[in-house]
Amino acid sequence: MKAFKTLGLLALALALTPATWALPKIKILATGGTIAGTQASPADAGYKPGTISVADLISSVPQLRNVAELSGEQVANIASQNMSHEIWLKLATRCNAVLADDDVDGVVITHGTDTMEETAYFLSLVVKSDKPIVLVGSMRPATAMGADGPINLYNAVALAAHPAAKGRGPLVLINDTIHYAREVQKTHTTRTDTFQSPNRGIAGIMNTGRVFFYSANTTRHTTRSEFSLYGLTVANLPRVEIVYSYVNFNGDTIDALVAKGVRGLVLAGVGDGNTSDAALAALARAAKAGVAVVRCSRTGSGIVDRNIEVNDDQLGFIAGLELSAPKARILLMLGLTQTNDLKKLQQYFSEY
Ligand code: DGL
């Protein structure tokens, strides 16, 4: 009898200790990518992304149960070069719904690295919660020698569970490094340190679940964003395309896209957002025809400011400032759901 009493007291003590009842509740929304990829054989460099389920991902890292109470949901299971506006709207809707639940403390999104930066930035503009959202991927498939997925997933869950991750907008975690959605870029085809934040720098670092933030996110995002999913559909998202400048670029593709009815064009220009006179003339024709034109740079970092080598005031262009062309495209798409006014559109690039 005495033994049962002792056991009962022990069970009660365990149930009351912070270590058991206080684990944060984190939802993993899985979309595929290499982190869920497998190879034919470990020595084989080739692999297929998006083959492991979210349940198998969670069970593949037993240490996760020490940092959070997890539940998983398979939103998609694709290689992220196939990410789409349709999946974006579904993912953002699920983020809003899950994060509105008082019983959820944060979200981790597993995602391919090819387009992770774009998804992170889109979510930063339309998700309405200040709870942590952490996107995570890997550069090596789960079956590879030196697979980086397990430690990245462990760190991502620990980060989403950490109070300091709140209110910073979506974060990207890979290779022990924390990035802000607006800053992060994939810069290398294969290296595990491929993600960099060349303009404003990284948000912080992690070491086996320990979190060290270096900087704050001073741009508008999530609950401070004027954009939302309200009324957004795949069909009514304004069509914005990117044109890439290079030697002898003559701008024929610009005219062709205008003829196709695009609402906006983003130039991935040489240097600080430049292009040939012929292409510039095509962009000026587009602007005259009411297409919103944003100048960015193909260099991967730096600021494209107004009226440096191109007279934006005269030609009716918008300067993309710090944004990469893919992120400028996202901001312009959402901006065009609110206004066609060039001054207002330019203001968005100073704030988001
Ligand atoms: N095709 C790439 C993707 O799904 C694989 C790269 C990765 O996930 O790291 O983004």
Side-chain angles (χ1 to χ4, degrees):
M1 187 58 190
K2 193 165 180 303
F4 277 116
K5 205 169 163 199
T6 315
L7 271 177
L9 286 173
L10 185 63
L12 182 65
L14 266 179
L16 294 176
T17 51
T20 51
W21 56 258
L23 275 183
K25 292 185 174 62
I26 302 300
K27 170 75 91 174
I28 297 185
L29 299 177
T31 70
T34 297
I35 194 169
T38 53
Q39 308 147 288
S41 76
D44 181 359
Y47 62 90
K48 186 175 181 332
T51 52
I52 297 172
S53 71
V54 62
D56 290 343
L57 268 182
I58 293 172
S59 56
S60 70
V61 187
Q63 297 88 338
L64 285 172
R65 69 169 68 93
N66 304 329
V67 285
E69 197 180 308
L70 290 176
S71 59
E73 183 177 317
Q74 199 80 45
V75 174
N77 213 352
I78 58 165
S80 79
Q81 57 267 39
N82 290 317
M83 186 49 71
S84 65
H85 292 169
E86 185 181 2
I87 299 175
W88 270 2
L89 293 177
K90 182 179 172 190
L91 181 61
T93 302
R94 289 302 300 143
C95 283
N96 280 332
V98 163
L99 292 169
D101 181 345
D102 291 341
D103 209 22
V104 173
D105 299 297
V107 157
V108 167
I109 297 170
T110 56
H111 194 294
T113 58
D114 287 0
T115 60
M116 187 186 291
E117 64 208 67
E118 295 181 60
T119 299
Y121 187 61
F122 174 72
L123 294 176
S124 78
L125 298 177
V126 298
V127 169
K128 295 302 169 198
S129 174
D130 61 7
K131 292 180 183 175
I133 303 167
V134 180
L135 290 91
V136 63
S138 71
M139 290 305 288
R140 297 176 186 144
T143 52
M145 290 179 285
D148 53 330
I151 186 59
N152 288 345
L153 182 59
Y154 179 84
N155 276 333
V157 170
L159 179 60
H162 197 287
K166 221 176 151 159
R168 294 176 184 264
L171 301 168
V172 167
L173 183 282
I174 193 165
N175 194 43
D176 290 350
T177 312
I178 308 168
H179 299 269
Y180 288 120
R182 182 181 185 271
E183 308 307 321
V184 68
Q185 295 186 45
K186 184 172 183 179
T187 64
H188 195 276
T189 55
T190 56
R191 287 172 42 161
T192 51
D193 65 348
T194 182
F195 281 117
Q196 300 293 327
S197 288
N199 282 331
R200 298 194 184 195
I202 62 174
I205 62 165
M206 289 191 71
N207 176 12
T208 323
R210 297 183 183 198
V211 179
F212 305 91
F213 275 106
Y214 289 162
S215 68
N217 179 357
T218 56
T219 62
R220 293 180 69 177
H221 58 80
T222 56
T223 52
R224 296 195 301 278
S225 164
E226 65 199 89
F227 307 112
S228 77
L229 289 174
Y230 182 73
L232 273 195
T233 64
V234 172
N236 68 18
L237 259 177
R239 183 177 176 182
V240 176
E241 300 292 352
I242 299 171
V243 289
Y244 195 91
S245 189
Y246 46 84
V247 173
N248 222 53
F249 178 44
N250 67 8
D252 284 354
T253 48
I254 294 166
D255 293 328
L257 284 168
V258 172
K260 280 276 185 190
V262 294
R263 290 275 312 283
L265 282 172
V266 174
L267 170 71
V270 294
D272 67 349
N274 301 313
T275 190
S276 66
D277 289 345
L280 212 53
L283 287 171
R285 287 195 295 275
K288 254 201 179 59
V291 175
V293 174
V294 178
R295 292 189 306 110
C296 295
S297 173
R298 73 178 198 181
T299 60
S301 62
I303 294 176
V304 173
D305 202 357
R306 289 188 68 79
N307 306 321
I308 302 295
E309 291 186 67
V310 174
N311 190 331
D312 296 299
D313 292 350
Q314 186 188 38
L315 296 172
F317 294 166
I318 298 154
L321 304 181
E322 295 171 46
L323 287 187
S324 65
K327 290 177 184 174
R329 173 182 168 271
I330 296 166
L331 182 55
L332 184 56
M333 259 193 326
L334 292 173
L336 287 170
T337 65
Q338 306 297 311
T339 180
N340 289 312
D341 178 74
L342 293 181
K343 272 196 171 27
K344 181 69 184 155
L345 290 169
Q346 181 65 71
Q347 186 58 27
Y348 289 145
F349 283 81
S350 308
E351 296 176 351
Y352 290 92

